[in-house]
Amino acid sequence: MNRLDRYIVGKFLGTFGFMLAVFCMVVVVFDLMEHLDSLLEHQAPVWDTALYYLNVCFHFASLLMGFIVFLTIIWFTSRLAQNSEIIAMLAGGMPFKRLFRPYFLAAGLLVALALLLSHRVVPYANEQKLAFEESFINTSIHVKGRNLYREVAPETI
């Protein structure tokens, strides 16, 4: 991996991190505005609330990762084209297929991150998130310890 590959991968992952942070901030702000009254009413601890919103960020990062990668590729490549960096690379003799190598390398890293998030981090985060929601946000609905039945087909419960 040469200097140009490190430059492209670094810019690509930096843009991805920036866009992921922006999406997470938007989700946290909207969720906080929606649940602020019940958090204040039930006197939720600040530390537990911060951990809840960290878990919300993990959940939405895993959920929206494919879309954010798509937007990142479009935004990052358009910035490279706007600064005439792609033209300079191709004019310098770089084959067009060679230009894809850093993109595939960064995409492989993001796939590994997505798999790690979806299989290890998010299940644990969702467990904590749902426990917090049951304790401080949706306090009127408790499923644990109750016998609930549902009809899944006619005459089948």
Side-chain angles (χ1 to χ4, degrees), residues 48-99:
D48 290 345
T49 306
L51 285 177
Y52 167 73
Y53 281 112
L54 179 65
N55 292 329
V56 166
C57 285
F58 283 136
H59 172 74
F60 278 98
S62 176
L63 188 68
L64 298 173
M65 188 168 277
F67 178 67
I68 294 172
V69 168
F70 172 71
L71 291 180
T72 299
I73 289 172
I74 291 174
W75 190 21
F76 168 68
T77 306
S78 68
R79 275 194 327 197
L80 284 179
Q82 183 180 9
N83 295 337
S84 301
E85 294 175 79
I86 293 178
I87 295 171
M89 287 180 232
L90 295 175
M94 175 187 282
F96 194 68
K97 290 182 180 179
R98 170 65 177 84
L99 181 61

Side-chain angles (χ1 to χ4, degrees), residues 12 18 23 26 37 50 52 55 58 76 95 143 148:
F12 181 49
F18 171 74
F23 271 92
V26 168
D37 55 345
Y52 167 73
N55 292 329
F58 283 136
F76 168 68
V143 177
L148 295 177

Side-chain angles (χ1 to χ4, degrees), residues 34-35 38 42 52 130-143:
E34 182 179 344
H35 296 130
S38 73
H42 297 104
Y52 167 73
L130 292 174
F132 181 86
E133 285 176 353
E134 186 177 318
S135 298
F136 297 108
I137 296 173
N138 301 327
T139 57
S140 63
I141 302 171
H142 292 288
V143 177

